[in-house]
Amino acid sequence: MADAVVIGAGISGAATAYQLAKDGLDVVLLDRFSPAAMASGWTLAGVRQSGRHAAELPLARAAVAIWETLAEELEGETHYRRSGNLRVARDDAEIAIIRGVVQDQASAGLDITLLPDNRAVRGVAPALSERALLASYCTSDGSADPVATVQSFVRAAERRGATCRFGERALVIETVAGRARAVVTDKSRIATRRVVIAAGIFGNELLKSFGVHVPLQVPVVTVLRSAPGARVLEPVISTATATCTGRQEHDGRWRVTNGAEAWRGTLIEEKGERGLPRPRVNPTAASMVDVVTRFGALVPAFREAAIEQSWAGLLDLAPDALPVLDAVPGCEGAFLAMGFSGHGFCLGPVTGKILSDFVQDRPVDLPLEPFALSRFQTSASATAPATLHG
Ligand SMILES: Cc1cc2nc3c(=O)[nH]c(=O)nc-3n(C[C@H](O)[C@H](O)[C@H](O)COP(=O)(O)OP(=O)(O)OC[C@H]3O[C@@H](n4cnc5c(N)ncnc54)[C@H](O)[C@@H]3O)c2cc1C
């Protein structure tokens, strides 16, 4: 019998498996595809506190504190760079948003400042065009390499005894008298009394048998990634209304997105590395043009980049754009991390700690009330604004 089974090897599940293995539990980490095959690989991978909902800020700050030494801890690569985040305003409406963000978050103690005009913005990021009228600037924000980070979590978990099974899909959590007793997959049955569901957009499939449903929307974001190039940009650049975001990776590659759009396409399953299935969503031509138009207007150098890869990434968008971090009603021993709404990559290291504390029945030293599943039973939760990725 496994002490715990973690379903999903995105950053949330991989970080949870690592924490559990580190604490000496015999843990099985499952993924129907491979590590970072979905949002945790599709992501822009900004590691950002600025622009967060007040409820999420304590988690983001705790996460950023972990990111600083994460590569060392995992004895693996993360390519984490604390190179700052500029959230730019391009018109009066965006100016009002950015001024509000700076005021609120500075009074909450975040190291965020207002760059009040184009000159000040270009003083920090000379590659920006005149379209950037002002910006918020948070120097302790940054970014990381998502695939390298998730792989480092997985390897560190394995070194501590975790068993990883990829290309294996969890079908149902079996219970006896309302308590988890096994995870049944398409290949085996794993006996366990503790289960973590960190399955991203597929979380509801595993909750169905308990009559539980997280009211998610699944919009899509298009991503373009270039060949390596000369570095002209240090901070991550986003906009007040999150209609485009971009950065240069550690080797100078551009990684750039547009905003979230309704998804009408299909999730294709193709063959990936080591014969494992790999999910893919193809972006539309219009969305790729949109990325180039929006980000190119802000950072003209991006227009010269040689694009090597494009994909579309799906978001698990909750009505209030906040995640669910909670126990699963009707299944004692099962816990849930989903609905990260386009900003769960940064939180990954802290999500892993929270879920590992849930599993081990330990108190969590962070305010988690806003992430309770029960909030969807009240009408107040359904009033939320859109996601802010990046
Ligand atoms: C384009 C884009 C840009 C983003 N930008 C940012 C950003 O800048 N900063 C930020 O913080 N966040 C960002 N995000 C959001 C962030 O990437 C996600 O919130 C985060 O990666 C979610 O991680 P996860 O582990 O919860 O889910 P996922 O990474 O989706 O992992 C879920 C895993 O579960 C597996 N799975 C599902 N069902 C089953 C099953 N039945 N059995 C076994 N395995 C299963 C899947 O294969 C998958 O690997 C962005 C997301 C996208 C798409």
Side-chain angles (χ1 to χ4, degrees), residues 61-389:
R61 293 178 81 172
V64 165
I66 301 172
W67 275 102
E68 187 161 22
T69 52
L70 187 62
E72 221 172 283
E73 178 182 345
L74 299 179
E75 297 174 72
E77 197 46 84
T78 61
H79 292 295
Y80 172 60
R81 299 175 71 239
R82 194 170 277 197
S83 52
N85 181 297
L86 280 180
R87 205 165 200 85
V88 165
R90 297 160 295 182
D91 57 31
D92 287 349
E94 291 192 341
I95 286 174
I97 293 173
I98 295 296
R99 285 191 190 281
V101 164
V102 173
Q103 196 173 6
D104 291 351
Q105 295 202 298
S107 50
L110 186 65
D111 59 327
I112 188 168
T113 49
L114 185 74
L115 303 177
D117 52 31
N118 181 261
R119 197 185 147 106
V121 176
R122 286 162 93 175
V124 170
L128 263 69
S129 73
E130 286 171 3
R131 296 262 356 247
L133 301 178
L134 59 69
S136 64
Y137 184 37
C138 180
T139 52
S140 58
D141 284 348
S143 62
D145 181 312
V147 175
T149 301
V150 174
Q151 280 172 347
S152 293
F153 269 121
V154 169
R155 288 190 192 118
E158 280 181 317
R159 282 199 301 277
R160 284 160 181 78
T163 304
C164 296
R165 301 199 198 170
F166 303 134
E168 182 164 346
R169 179 177 181 178
L171 299 177
V172 74
I173 300 168
E174 218 177 77
T175 57
V176 59
R179 152 131 233 147
R181 76 160 176 189
V183 173
V184 179
T185 77
D186 55 357
K187 300 208 167 104
S188 63
R189 178 182 177 279
I190 310 164
T192 186
R193 292 166 69 81
R194 304 269 173 180
V195 182
V196 172
I197 302 172
I201 61 163
F202 292 122
N204 278 323
E205 289 182 0
L206 294 157
L207 293 171
K208 208 170 167 185
S209 57
F210 309 113
V212 175
H213 179 77
V214 178
L216 293 185
Q217 283 178 51
V218 182
V220 69
V221 175
T222 294
V223 186
L224 300 182
R225 189 173 187 231
S226 77
R231 177 166 299 283
V232 299
L233 186 69
E234 286 298 332
V236 177
I237 305 297
S238 189
T239 59
T241 44
T243 52
C244 68
T245 303
R247 65 182 177 95
Q248 275 191 287
E249 298 182 3
H250 64 97
D251 57 2
R253 286 176 198 275
W254 292 94
R255 192 177 184 105
V256 177
T257 79
N258 61 353
E261 303 171 284
W263 177 44
R264 292 181 203 88
T266 354
L267 186 75
I268 301 158
E269 269 191 45
E270 52 190 27
K271 207 168 227 186
E273 279 174 36
R274 290 176 287 135
L276 292 172
R278 183 174 55 199
R280 179 171 173 86
V281 178
N282 287 324
T284 62
S287 66
M288 291 196 273
V289 171
D290 188 51
V291 175
V292 177
T293 308
R294 287 180 192 275
F295 197 74
L298 268 183
V299 185
F302 170 64
R303 291 175 172 275
E304 305 305 318
I307 300 302
E308 276 190 354
Q309 288 172 278
S310 64
W311 62 86
L314 303 173
L315 305 182
D316 50 350
L317 180 60
D320 53 6
L322 292 175
V324 177
L325 301 167
D326 207 344
V328 177
C331 184
E332 202 186 325
F335 303 92
L336 185 59
M338 66 188 273
F340 287 97
S341 305
H343 32 82
F345 179 74
C346 162
L347 301 182
V350 101
T351 301
K353 283 192 188 246
I354 292 169
L355 269 289
S356 138
D357 285 341
F358 284 174
V359 166
Q360 296 176 79
D361 208 12
R362 294 191 302 219
V364 178
D365 193 18
L366 283 162
L368 295 185
E369 299 78 19
F371 314 116
L373 188 55
S374 58
R375 72 189 193 268
F376 298 120
Q377 282 148 18
T378 66
S379 54
S381 67
T383 56
T387 179
L388 291 172
H389 66 278

Side-chain angles (χ1 to χ4, degrees), residues 16-33:
T16 304
Y18 163 71
Q19 288 297 335
L20 291 170
K22 190 175 149 197
D23 287 342
L25 272 74
D26 175 17
V27 54
V28 177
L29 174 63
L30 282 181
D31 201 287
R32 59 183 282 181
F33 300 120

